[in-house]
mmCIF file of all heavy atoms in Angstrom:
data_model
loop_
_atom_site.group_PDB
_atom_site.id
_atom_site.type_symbol
_atom_site.label_atom_id
_atom_site.label_comp_id
_atom_site.label_asym_id
_atom_site.label_seq_id
_atom_site.Cartn_x
_atom_site.Cartn_y
_atom_site.Cartn_z
ATOM 1 N N TYR N 26 15.947 55.173 61.459
ATOM 2 C CA TYR N 26 15.580 54.546 60.186
ATOM 3 C C TYR N 26 16.827 54.418 59.327
ATOM 4 O O TYR N 26 17.600 55.371 59.196
ATOM 5 C CB TYR N 26 14.552 55.414 59.447
ATOM 6 C CG TYR N 26 14.023 54.789 58.168
ATOM 7 C CD1 TYR N 26 12.843 54.059 58.166
ATOM 8 C CD2 TYR N 26 14.719 54.928 56.968
ATOM 9 C CE1 TYR N 26 12.355 53.478 57.006
ATOM 10 C CE2 TYR N 26 14.241 54.339 55.797
ATOM 11 C CZ TYR N 26 13.063 53.626 55.817
ATOM 12 O OH TYR N 26 12.587 53.047 54.666
ATOM 13 N N CYS N 28 18.152 53.027 55.459
ATOM 14 C CA CYS N 28 17.742 52.534 54.144
ATOM 15 C C CYS N 28 18.379 51.172 53.892
ATOM 16 O O CYS N 28 19.592 51.018 53.977
ATOM 17 C CB CYS N 28 18.175 53.497 53.050
ATOM 18 S SG CYS N 28 17.195 55.004 53.092
ATOM 19 N N GLY N 29 17.550 50.210 53.582
ATOM 20 C CA GLY N 29 18.031 48.843 53.407
ATOM 21 C C GLY N 29 18.392 48.526 51.974
ATOM 22 O O GLY N 29 18.671 49.411 51.167
ATOM 23 N N ASN N 66 14.306 49.029 55.899
ATOM 24 C CA ASN N 66 13.344 48.568 54.890
ATOM 25 C C ASN N 66 13.964 47.614 53.879
ATOM 26 O O ASN N 66 15.184 47.514 53.756
ATOM 27 C CB ASN N 66 12.773 49.769 54.145
ATOM 28 C CG ASN N 66 13.811 50.385 53.232
ATOM 29 O OD1 ASN N 66 14.836 50.867 53.685
ATOM 30 N ND2 ASN N 66 13.570 50.339 51.933
ATOM 31 N N TRP N 205 11.116 55.296 44.154
ATOM 32 C CA TRP N 205 11.916 54.760 45.255
ATOM 33 C C TRP N 205 11.889 55.681 46.481
ATOM 34 O O TRP N 205 11.731 55.225 47.627
ATOM 35 C CB TRP N 205 13.340 54.570 44.732
ATOM 36 C CG TRP N 205 14.373 54.180 45.725
ATOM 37 C CD1 TRP N 205 14.203 53.377 46.817
ATOM 38 C CD2 TRP N 205 15.748 54.556 45.703
ATOM 39 N NE1 TRP N 205 15.396 53.224 47.479
ATOM 40 C CE2 TRP N 205 16.359 53.935 46.818
ATOM 41 C CE3 TRP N 205 16.536 55.337 44.851
ATOM 42 C CZ2 TRP N 205 17.725 54.089 47.093
ATOM 43 C CZ3 TRP N 205 17.890 55.478 45.122
ATOM 44 C CH2 TRP N 205 18.470 54.865 46.235
ATOM 45 N N CYS N 209 10.520 55.248 51.168
ATOM 46 C CA CYS N 209 11.166 55.413 52.473
ATOM 47 C C CYS N 209 10.450 56.472 53.314
ATOM 48 O O CYS N 209 10.318 56.316 54.530
ATOM 49 C CB CYS N 209 12.643 55.755 52.308
ATOM 50 S SG CYS N 209 13.624 54.295 51.898
ATOM 51 N N HIS N 224 18.497 59.245 60.825
ATOM 52 C CA HIS N 224 18.258 58.617 59.522
ATOM 53 C C HIS N 224 19.615 58.226 58.971
ATOM 54 O O HIS N 224 20.507 59.055 58.857
ATOM 55 C CB HIS N 224 17.545 59.585 58.578
ATOM 56 C CG HIS N 224 16.945 58.873 57.389
ATOM 57 N ND1 HIS N 224 17.676 58.016 56.603
ATOM 58 C CD2 HIS N 224 15.692 58.877 56.878
ATOM 59 C CE1 HIS N 224 16.894 57.527 55.654
ATOM 60 N NE2 HIS N 224 15.680 58.025 55.796
ATOM 61 N N LEU N 230 23.743 57.596 49.088
ATOM 62 C CA LEU N 230 22.303 57.885 49.086
ATOM 63 C C LEU N 230 21.980 59.351 49.401
ATOM 64 O O LEU N 230 20.824 59.753 49.354
ATOM 65 C CB LEU N 230 21.585 56.993 50.109
ATOM 66 C CG LEU N 230 21.665 55.478 49.887
ATOM 67 C CD1 LEU N 230 20.851 54.748 50.957
ATOM 68 C CD2 LEU N 230 21.149 55.093 48.499
ATOM 69 N N HIS N 234 18.557 60.338 46.806
ATOM 70 C CA HIS N 234 17.554 59.644 47.616
ATOM 71 C C HIS N 234 17.177 60.377 48.907
ATOM 72 O O HIS N 234 16.007 60.676 49.148
ATOM 73 C CB HIS N 234 18.049 58.223 47.916
ATOM 74 C CG HIS N 234 17.049 57.365 48.621
ATOM 75 N ND1 HIS N 234 15.758 57.212 48.173
ATOM 76 C CD2 HIS N 234 17.125 56.627 49.767
ATOM 77 C CE1 HIS N 234 15.091 56.409 48.999
ATOM 78 N NE2 HIS N 234 15.898 56.047 49.972
ATOM 79 N N HIS N 235 18.166 60.693 49.726
ATOM 80 C CA HIS N 235 17.828 61.321 51.007
ATOM 81 C C HIS N 235 17.380 62.768 50.843
ATOM 82 O O HIS N 235 16.533 63.255 51.588
ATOM 83 C CB HIS N 235 19.015 61.201 51.967
ATOM 84 C CG HIS N 235 19.219 59.791 52.448
ATOM 85 N ND1 HIS N 235 20.345 59.363 53.091
ATOM 86 C CD2 HIS N 235 18.410 58.694 52.351
ATOM 87 C CE1 HIS N 235 20.237 58.069 53.388
ATOM 88 N NE2 HIS N 235 19.071 57.650 52.930
ATOM 89 N N GLU N 238 13.876 62.457 50.022
ATOM 90 C CA GLU N 238 13.086 62.015 51.183
ATOM 91 C C GLU N 238 12.770 63.195 52.096
ATOM 92 O O GLU N 238 11.638 63.347 52.554
ATOM 93 C CB GLU N 238 13.907 61.000 51.977
ATOM 94 C CG GLU N 238 13.357 59.593 51.923
ATOM 95 C CD GLU N 238 14.045 58.731 52.956
ATOM 96 O OE1 GLU N 238 15.111 58.185 52.627
ATOM 97 O OE2 GLU N 238 13.536 58.613 54.080
HETATM 98 ZN ZN1 ZN I 1 15.630 54.905 51.623
#
Side-chain angles (χ1 to χ4, degrees):
Y26 185 95
C28 289
N66 71 297
W205 173 34
C209 282
H224 196 309
L230 299 182
H234 186 51
H235 289 167
E238 249 192 273

